[in-house]
Amino acid sequence: MTTTITWTAVCRLGDLLPERGAAALVGGVQVAVFRLHDDQVRAVGNRDPLWGANVMSRGIVGTRGGRAVVVSPMHKQAYDLDTGACLDDPAAALPVYAARVRDGVVEVVAG
Amino acid sequence: MRLVVIGNGMVGQRFVESLAARDTARRFTEVTVLGEETRRAYDRVRLSAFFDGVSAEELTLAPPGVPAGTTIRLGEPATAVDREARVVRTAAGEYPYDALVLATGSRAFVPPVPGTGSPGVFVYRTLDDLEALRAHAAGRSAGIVVGGGLLGLEAANALRLLGLRTAIVEFAPHLMPMQVDAAGGAILRRRIEELGIDVHTGAGVTGIAPDGDRLAVGAGELTLGADLVVFAAGVRPRDELARAAGLPVAERGGILVDASCRTADERVFAIGECAAVDGRCYGLVAPGYAMADVVADRLLGGDATFGGADMSTKLKLLGVDVASFGATTGPLDVVYADPAHGLYAKLVLTDDARTLLGGILVGDAAAYGVLKAAVGGPVPGKLADFLSAGAPDVALPGDAQVCSCNAVTKDQVLGAIGAGCADVGCLKACTRAGTTCGSCVPLLRSLLTEAGVAQSTALCEHFAYSRQELFDLIRVRGIATFSALIGEYGTGRGCDVCKPVVASILASLGGGHVLDGEQAALQDTNDHFLANIQRDGTYSVVPRIPGGEITPERLIVIGEVARDFGLYTKITGGQRIDLFGARVEQLPAIWRRLVDAGFESGHAYGKALRTVKSCVGSTWCRYGVQDSVGLAVALELRYRGLRSPHKLKSAVSGCARECAEARSKDFGVIATETGWNLYVGGNGGFRPRHADLFATDLSTEELVRTIDRFLMFYIRTADRLQRTAAWLEALDGGLEHLRAVIVDDSLGICAELDAAMDRHVGGYADEWRAVLEDPDKLRRFVSFVNEPQTPDPSIAFTVEREQRVPVPLGMPEVSA
Ligand code: SRM
Ligand SMILES: Cc1cc2nc3c(=O)[nH]c(=O)nc-3n(C[C@H](O)[C@H](O)[C@H](O)COP(=O)(O)OP(=O)(O)OC[C@H]3O[C@@H](n4cnc5c(N)ncnc54)[C@H](O)[C@@H]3O)c2cc1C
Ligand code: SF4
Ligand code: FES
């Protein structure tokens, strides 16, 4: 059986502010896409796993102990953008999706 | 005895202060200061901050008032010195002297080429120059700076801040020829070109010709077009008065003085940039201050001498660190160059490599303080450590100059700490260190830490500073962006603690719209969407209703908007109306309706002024003694949009029955028969506190000034998320201290606080209207970046008591 990996273009890199995110709908899944300071991109689930609202894309991006994180705007838990792990609550985590920039376009694999 | 001082610049001012402090026996009964500029002395070193929104008033160096016996005559230049008759002449009169001090500074050097008198040609020396430059730059697009030294790069940055495409023309083969060598200059050039500034080196200006509305500038082989030209190609000492009076001048200009700063005439002294001590002029402020102190001492019979000066410089120019100290070339130069990262370091050593003679750092000057202090001794640590980025951890010798602006050594700082100084503010007051350019403040901080003084005020893992310290750094250094701040004073990329704090500080200092440029990324979601996030991810909308007063028409508009967008509507505890349940992509349409009807942002989302509640007051109420609604509206309009460490609330009651609950507010006002009583530091909420009575029976004008200062002082000094109640309780000296500062001006900062508030009031603009007018900002208001029209499908409503309310979200699926 073959697995097909589908990269979906969601926006141009320039549509995202550095160190800020935006939500995208990819095959029915809400994905939070972030642009880091060095123009790398990361994608995680948009739903705050602790509070249920789809708001992760609106969190502040930064670092904690050198790890790139996004902080939920709801109650300020930090999530590692590379692993999805919640640094404030071991029980919570975000799904992580593959993301890349090609020819100035942000693409993710989700859905 | 009569003393005349010519020039009220930085050094002239320092001299007057230094003399007044020493002349306790009042030997000089009459001191006349003649100033050509129409302003009292101001901080020329920070001149460029003017383009970062710092006002002329904030740059002033002159404390309010003058020492007894001193007269300052501004806008009255000395036209002649008659040494025989011992008088100084001006157009307005004659001033006899027993002693005369010349502190006339320098003038900008403009090379003798054709066309320098054309409109659009400027120099960069005085506030008037900058004002004229700014006026001319309005609506224009390109500027040229002649001179690629320290001053030229500063001027280039200023043109950039004015929104001009900028080119630098430098005669020497590389930038900053006085400070760095060719290799360092090349790396500097790349960093500057990356900022979009054109650099032309090895190009002398041959002439300027008007070209229609613009200027054609001949530079070496090239002809460049521009709307304006700024000459920043060096300075020349203003020795014309001395020359005319027959006093000897140095070969290359400058009034010749000896090490006591005395000219050939024993009654006449020269200090600052106009003086050539033993033939040498100094273009920096620190040596000028040292000369001022020497002459103050001499005039009172002392024997101080000027012992030369440290010409080391460390600057952040256009965001690039540049430092040079001691010798810049010598027997053994060890160089590290990393063009990819824009780093360059060179250490100059004796040929046995045992003694450090000087060095140059470009791109990262963290090691500057340590290295500068080590000149003349061995390299303090492993050589290799200094030749890469960052400052290695080594101890400074005791005689190392920690603050070069004010010549304060490490030992002096440690002495002050030993005598009880426990924070940077106290060190500033006791030693003057850190009070000029501010760049040594981080070092002061680390000395405090080293001395074991508890420092627990670090904001977060990214900044070792408290909010107050960051506020001062940003203000004093004129820092305009978070990246610049964290690059210089922090580590990592910031977080949800420091980013909003810095965004708020930038906003308090008048840094433009909260969603402009990089600032947008720093904001909490509430500030980012100018609305309050709710538990289901929707937002609430709170238009401002000043004082709680609203016309029926406006009430109807709010009702219509709520109905048309299906928003849950509630009267808040702050005497206004909150509309809940708006999706991100609905916010602009909602606000367009509100703005069109004359509403503006209520800042319910910001750490800013919320509401000024009112009672109905004397207009209707049979007990009212003043128009509490009128005052509440005026206060709310005055302070709307003011960003602060935490939210600010206020209320005005029309009589002592206190229906507006003013005593539970950050600043509350209660009417009296003859005016207003002001209460400060009240709080409802989590830990209620009754406000303290601060002043009684104030006129409206006095009241407003007092509140202005109270708020600005709070904004400058409070911690993050510290309401005024907690701040006041933590304030050393409490209410009495607060009174001393904002009523009696004990710190001499009231003029600054007033100016800052005036700037806020003058610069206020509705945040929501600005967003509606800016397509770039509007584009962010979508639920999905790839499907801007699609609403978030997870948001759903049900009906409760005839209004839409969110469907409760599924219980958290993970959590302990
Ligand atoms: C809407 C409102 C309740 C209401 O329906 O009446 C309200 C709602 C919120 N309050 Fe409040 N407060 C409201 C009046 C008050 C009052 C009464 C007042 O202002 O007269 C108080 C007590 C007075 C005081 O602040 O001293 C009050 C004390 C608080 C506190 C506790 C502050 C404290 O110092 O302990 C918080 C939490 C905080 O700010 O950290 C808070 C925080 C909040 C937040 C912002 C919580 C949040 O982050 O989501 C709520 C969101 C508002 C929204 O979405 O629009 N709210 N809140 C009131 C809006 C007033 C307005 O027009 O702007
Ligand atoms: C943009 C800029 C940035 C600078 N940055 C730095 C820096 O980072 N570090 C540093 O150390 N230095 C810096 N300097 C230099 C520093 O400002 C000067 O060294 C300092 O101001 C010298 O002080 P002064 O009192 O000698 O001269 P000034 O401050 O120039 O004061 C002289 C005053 O005398 C007045 N005057 C002249 N003739 C007469 C007359 N006949 N009658 C009455 N009044 C007269 C002038 O109008 C002027 O107000 C900078 C200068 C500029 C312009
Ligand atoms: S505070 Fe006084 S004036 Fe205001 S409503 Fe109450 S009783 Fe009337
Ligand atoms: S070095 Fe400028 S204030 Fe200390």
PDB file of all heavy atoms in Angstrom, chain B residues 465-484:
ATOM      1  N   TYR B 465      16.118  42.673  33.124  1.00  0.00           N
ATOM      2  CA  TYR B 465      15.688  43.990  33.617  1.00  0.00           C
ATOM      3  C   TYR B 465      14.249  43.976  34.098  1.00  0.00           C
ATOM      4  O   TYR B 465      13.441  43.166  33.654  1.00  0.00           O
ATOM      5  CB  TYR B 465      15.799  45.035  32.501  1.00  0.00           C
ATOM      6  CG  TYR B 465      17.174  45.133  31.914  1.00  0.00           C
ATOM      7  CD1 TYR B 465      17.504  44.445  30.762  1.00  0.00           C
ATOM      8  CD2 TYR B 465      18.143  45.898  32.548  1.00  0.00           C
ATOM      9  CE1 TYR B 465      18.775  44.518  30.232  1.00  0.00           C
ATOM     10  CE2 TYR B 465      19.417  45.983  32.026  1.00  0.00           C
ATOM     11  CZ  TYR B 465      19.731  45.286  30.865  1.00  0.00           C
ATOM     12  OH  TYR B 465      20.989  45.377  30.367  1.00  0.00           O
ATOM     13  N   SER B 466      13.957  44.893  34.983  1.00  0.00           N
ATOM     14  CA  SER B 466      12.566  45.080  35.384  1.00  0.00           C
ATOM     15  C   SER B 466      11.870  45.908  34.315  1.00  0.00           C
ATOM     16  O   SER B 466      12.509  46.499  33.448  1.00  0.00           O
ATOM     17  CB  SER B 466      12.503  45.818  36.715  1.00  0.00           C
ATOM     18  OG  SER B 466      12.949  47.142  36.528  1.00  0.00           O
ATOM     19  N   ARG B 467      10.560  45.973  34.407  1.00  0.00           N
ATOM     20  CA  ARG B 467       9.832  46.800  33.457  1.00  0.00           C
ATOM     21  C   ARG B 467      10.320  48.245  33.509  1.00  0.00           C
ATOM     22  O   ARG B 467      10.515  48.876  32.483  1.00  0.00           O
ATOM     23  CB  ARG B 467       8.329  46.762  33.749  1.00  0.00           C
ATOM     24  CG  ARG B 467       7.561  47.648  32.787  1.00  0.00           C
ATOM     25  CD  ARG B 467       6.121  47.847  33.168  1.00  0.00           C
ATOM     26  NE  ARG B 467       5.553  48.866  32.294  1.00  0.00           N
ATOM     27  CZ  ARG B 467       5.689  50.167  32.489  1.00  0.00           C
ATOM     28  NH1 ARG B 467       6.366  50.627  33.520  1.00  0.00           N
ATOM     29  NH2 ARG B 467       5.161  51.027  31.636  1.00  0.00           N
ATOM     30  N   GLN B 468      10.527  48.752  34.714  1.00  0.00           N
ATOM     31  CA  GLN B 468      10.966  50.147  34.832  1.00  0.00           C
ATOM     32  C   GLN B 468      12.308  50.364  34.140  1.00  0.00           C
ATOM     33  O   GLN B 468      12.512  51.360  33.443  1.00  0.00           O
ATOM     34  CB  GLN B 468      11.075  50.540  36.308  1.00  0.00           C
ATOM     35  CG  GLN B 468      11.644  51.934  36.474  1.00  0.00           C
ATOM     36  CD  GLN B 468      11.777  52.342  37.923  1.00  0.00           C
ATOM     37  OE1 GLN B 468      11.415  51.594  38.828  1.00  0.00           O
ATOM     38  NE2 GLN B 468      12.292  53.531  38.151  1.00  0.00           N
ATOM     39  N   GLU B 469      13.215  49.425  34.335  1.00  0.00           N
ATOM     40  CA  GLU B 469      14.530  49.581  33.698  1.00  0.00           C
ATOM     41  C   GLU B 469      14.421  49.509  32.179  1.00  0.00           C
ATOM     42  O   GLU B 469      15.074  50.268  31.464  1.00  0.00           O
ATOM     43  CB  GLU B 469      15.497  48.519  34.218  1.00  0.00           C
ATOM     44  CG  GLU B 469      15.938  48.816  35.637  1.00  0.00           C
ATOM     45  CD  GLU B 469      16.533  47.596  36.337  1.00  0.00           C
ATOM     46  OE1 GLU B 469      16.220  46.461  35.937  1.00  0.00           O
ATOM     47  OE2 GLU B 469      17.300  47.799  37.274  1.00  0.00           O
ATOM     48  N   LEU B 470      13.580  48.606  31.717  1.00  0.00           N
ATOM     49  CA  LEU B 470      13.392  48.534  30.269  1.00  0.00           C
ATOM     50  C   LEU B 470      12.790  49.838  29.756  1.00  0.00           C
ATOM     51  O   LEU B 470      13.175  50.348  28.703  1.00  0.00           O
ATOM     52  CB  LEU B 470      12.472  47.369  29.903  1.00  0.00           C
ATOM     53  CG  LEU B 470      13.118  45.988  29.966  1.00  0.00           C
ATOM     54  CD1 LEU B 470      12.113  44.917  29.581  1.00  0.00           C
ATOM     55  CD2 LEU B 470      14.333  45.916  29.045  1.00  0.00           C
ATOM     56  N   PHE B 471      11.852  50.364  30.515  1.00  0.00           N
ATOM     57  CA  PHE B 471      11.229  51.630  30.112  1.00  0.00           C
ATOM     58  C   PHE B 471      12.307  52.705  29.954  1.00  0.00           C
ATOM     59  O   PHE B 471      12.368  53.414  28.947  1.00  0.00           O
ATOM     60  CB  PHE B 471      10.197  52.054  31.166  1.00  0.00           C
ATOM     61  CG  PHE B 471       9.331  53.202  30.725  1.00  0.00           C
ATOM     62  CD1 PHE B 471       8.070  52.966  30.211  1.00  0.00           C
ATOM     63  CD2 PHE B 471       9.775  54.514  30.815  1.00  0.00           C
ATOM     64  CE1 PHE B 471       7.270  54.015  29.789  1.00  0.00           C
ATOM     65  CE2 PHE B 471       8.987  55.565  30.403  1.00  0.00           C
ATOM     66  CZ  PHE B 471       7.729  55.322  29.890  1.00  0.00           C
ATOM     67  N   ASP B 472      13.195  52.793  30.955  1.00  0.00           N
ATOM     68  CA  ASP B 472      14.252  53.815  30.895  1.00  0.00           C
ATOM     69  C   ASP B 472      15.201  53.570  29.731  1.00  0.00           C
ATOM     70  O   ASP B 472      15.592  54.499  29.033  1.00  0.00           O
ATOM     71  CB  ASP B 472      15.043  53.845  32.213  1.00  0.00           C
ATOM     72  CG  ASP B 472      14.234  54.485  33.325  1.00  0.00           C
ATOM     73  OD1 ASP B 472      13.261  55.201  33.000  1.00  0.00           O
ATOM     74  OD2 ASP B 472      14.549  54.267  34.502  1.00  0.00           O
ATOM     75  N   LEU B 473      15.569  52.298  29.549  1.00  0.00           N
ATOM     76  CA  LEU B 473      16.487  51.981  28.443  1.00  0.00           C
ATOM     77  C   LEU B 473      15.875  52.408  27.112  1.00  0.00           C
ATOM     78  O   LEU B 473      16.514  53.045  26.280  1.00  0.00           O
ATOM     79  CB  LEU B 473      16.739  50.478  28.386  1.00  0.00           C
ATOM     80  CG  LEU B 473      17.846  49.948  29.286  1.00  0.00           C
ATOM     81  CD1 LEU B 473      17.871  48.427  29.225  1.00  0.00           C
ATOM     82  CD2 LEU B 473      19.186  50.492  28.822  1.00  0.00           C
ATOM     83  N   ILE B 474      14.610  52.028  26.933  1.00  0.00           N
ATOM     84  CA  ILE B 474      13.957  52.327  25.667  1.00  0.00           C
ATOM     85  C   ILE B 474      13.844  53.835  25.476  1.00  0.00           C
ATOM     86  O   ILE B 474      14.102  54.372  24.405  1.00  0.00           O
ATOM     87  CB  ILE B 474      12.560  51.654  25.623  1.00  0.00           C
ATOM     88  CG1 ILE B 474      12.723  50.147  25.609  1.00  0.00           C
ATOM     89  CG2 ILE B 474      11.753  52.135  24.430  1.00  0.00           C
ATOM     90  CD1 ILE B 474      11.433  49.366  25.772  1.00  0.00           C
ATOM     91  N   ARG B 475      13.505  54.511  26.557  1.00  0.00           N
ATOM     92  CA  ARG B 475      13.320  55.964  26.475  1.00  0.00           C
ATOM     93  C   ARG B 475      14.664  56.650  26.235  1.00  0.00           C
ATOM     94  O   ARG B 475      14.812  57.435  25.306  1.00  0.00           O
ATOM     95  CB  ARG B 475      12.704  56.466  27.779  1.00  0.00           C
ATOM     96  CG  ARG B 475      12.347  57.932  27.787  1.00  0.00           C
ATOM     97  CD  ARG B 475      11.613  58.287  29.074  1.00  0.00           C
ATOM     98  NE  ARG B 475      12.430  58.052  30.248  1.00  0.00           N
ATOM     99  CZ  ARG B 475      13.249  58.957  30.764  1.00  0.00           C
ATOM    100  NH1 ARG B 475      13.354  60.148  30.237  1.00  0.00           N
ATOM    101  NH2 ARG B 475      13.974  58.672  31.836  1.00  0.00           N
ATOM    102  N   VAL B 476      15.646  56.291  27.065  1.00  0.00           N
ATOM    103  CA  VAL B 476      16.907  57.016  27.002  1.00  0.00           C
ATOM    104  C   VAL B 476      17.686  56.686  25.736  1.00  0.00           C
ATOM    105  O   VAL B 476      18.267  57.549  25.100  1.00  0.00           O
ATOM    106  CB  VAL B 476      17.748  56.701  28.257  1.00  0.00           C
ATOM    107  CG1 VAL B 476      19.137  57.282  28.135  1.00  0.00           C
ATOM    108  CG2 VAL B 476      17.050  57.237  29.491  1.00  0.00           C
ATOM    109  N   ARG B 477      17.641  55.403  25.341  1.00  0.00           N
ATOM    110  CA  ARG B 477      18.402  55.028  24.154  1.00  0.00           C
ATOM    111  C   ARG B 477      17.597  55.226  22.874  1.00  0.00           C
ATOM    112  O   ARG B 477      18.084  54.960  21.796  1.00  0.00           O
ATOM    113  CB  ARG B 477      18.862  53.563  24.232  1.00  0.00           C
ATOM    114  CG  ARG B 477      19.706  53.199  25.445  1.00  0.00           C
ATOM    115  CD  ARG B 477      20.993  54.009  25.570  1.00  0.00           C
ATOM    116  NE  ARG B 477      21.773  54.100  24.348  1.00  0.00           N
ATOM    117  CZ  ARG B 477      22.695  53.227  23.988  1.00  0.00           C
ATOM    118  NH1 ARG B 477      22.965  52.215  24.731  1.00  0.00           N
ATOM    119  NH2 ARG B 477      23.353  53.398  22.872  1.00  0.00           N
ATOM    120  N   GLY B 478      16.350  55.661  23.025  1.00  0.00           N
ATOM    121  CA  GLY B 478      15.543  55.888  21.833  1.00  0.00           C
ATOM    122  C   GLY B 478      15.321  54.611  21.027  1.00  0.00           C
ATOM    123  O   GLY B 478      15.311  54.627  19.807  1.00  0.00           O
ATOM    124  N   ILE B 479      15.170  53.485  21.726  1.00  0.00           N
ATOM    125  CA  ILE B 479      14.990  52.213  21.017  1.00  0.00           C
ATOM    126  C   ILE B 479      13.565  52.141  20.470  1.00  0.00           C
ATOM    127  O   ILE B 479      12.612  52.487  21.153  1.00  0.00           O
ATOM    128  CB  ILE B 479      15.280  51.044  21.978  1.00  0.00           C
ATOM    129  CG1 ILE B 479      16.773  51.065  22.306  1.00  0.00           C
ATOM    130  CG2 ILE B 479      14.866  49.707  21.364  1.00  0.00           C
ATOM    131  CD1 ILE B 479      17.173  50.151  23.411  1.00  0.00           C
ATOM    132  N   ALA B 480      13.426  51.708  19.219  1.00  0.00           N
ATOM    133  CA  ALA B 480      12.115  51.794  18.578  1.00  0.00           C
ATOM    134  C   ALA B 480      11.489  50.434  18.306  1.00  0.00           C
ATOM    135  O   ALA B 480      10.326  50.360  17.959  1.00  0.00           O
ATOM    136  CB  ALA B 480      12.227  52.577  17.270  1.00  0.00           C
ATOM    137  N   THR B 481      12.257  49.363  18.447  1.00  0.00           N
ATOM    138  CA  THR B 481      11.675  48.063  18.142  1.00  0.00           C
ATOM    139  C   THR B 481      12.084  47.022  19.175  1.00  0.00           C
ATOM    140  O   THR B 481      13.116  47.149  19.840  1.00  0.00           O
ATOM    141  CB  THR B 481      12.161  47.515  16.774  1.00  0.00           C
ATOM    142  OG1 THR B 481      13.579  47.348  16.844  1.00  0.00           O
ATOM    143  CG2 THR B 481      11.808  48.446  15.643  1.00  0.00           C
ATOM    144  N   PHE B 482      11.266  45.967  19.261  1.00  0.00           N
ATOM    145  CA  PHE B 482      11.570  44.871  20.163  1.00  0.00           C
ATOM    146  C   PHE B 482      12.863  44.172  19.738  1.00  0.00           C
ATOM    147  O   PHE B 482      13.695  43.845  20.576  1.00  0.00           O
ATOM    148  CB  PHE B 482      10.406  43.877  20.155  1.00  0.00           C
ATOM    149  CG  PHE B 482      10.606  42.708  21.075  1.00  0.00           C
ATOM    150  CD1 PHE B 482      10.366  42.839  22.428  1.00  0.00           C
ATOM    151  CD2 PHE B 482      11.038  41.487  20.592  1.00  0.00           C
ATOM    152  CE1 PHE B 482      10.551  41.772  23.290  1.00  0.00           C
ATOM    153  CE2 PHE B 482      11.232  40.415  21.440  1.00  0.00           C
ATOM    154  CZ  PHE B 482      10.988  40.566  22.800  1.00  0.00           C
ATOM    155  N   SER B 483      13.057  43.966  18.438  1.00  0.00           N
ATOM    156  CA  SER B 483      14.282  43.257  18.025  1.00  0.00           C
ATOM    157  C   SER B 483      15.513  44.032  18.422  1.00  0.00           C
ATOM    158  O   SER B 483      16.501  43.447  18.852  1.00  0.00           O
ATOM    159  CB  SER B 483      14.367  43.007  16.523  1.00  0.00           C
ATOM    160  OG  SER B 483      13.216  43.245  15.860  1.00  0.00           O
ATOM    161  N   ALA B 484      15.459  45.360  18.273  1.00  0.00           N
ATOM    162  CA  ALA B 484      16.629  46.143  18.661  1.00  0.00           C
ATOM    163  C   ALA B 484      16.876  45.976  20.154  1.00  0.00           C
ATOM    164  O   ALA B 484      18.008  45.793  20.604  1.00  0.00           O
ATOM    165  CB  ALA B 484      16.414  47.610  18.317  1.00  0.00           C
TER     166      ALA B 484
END
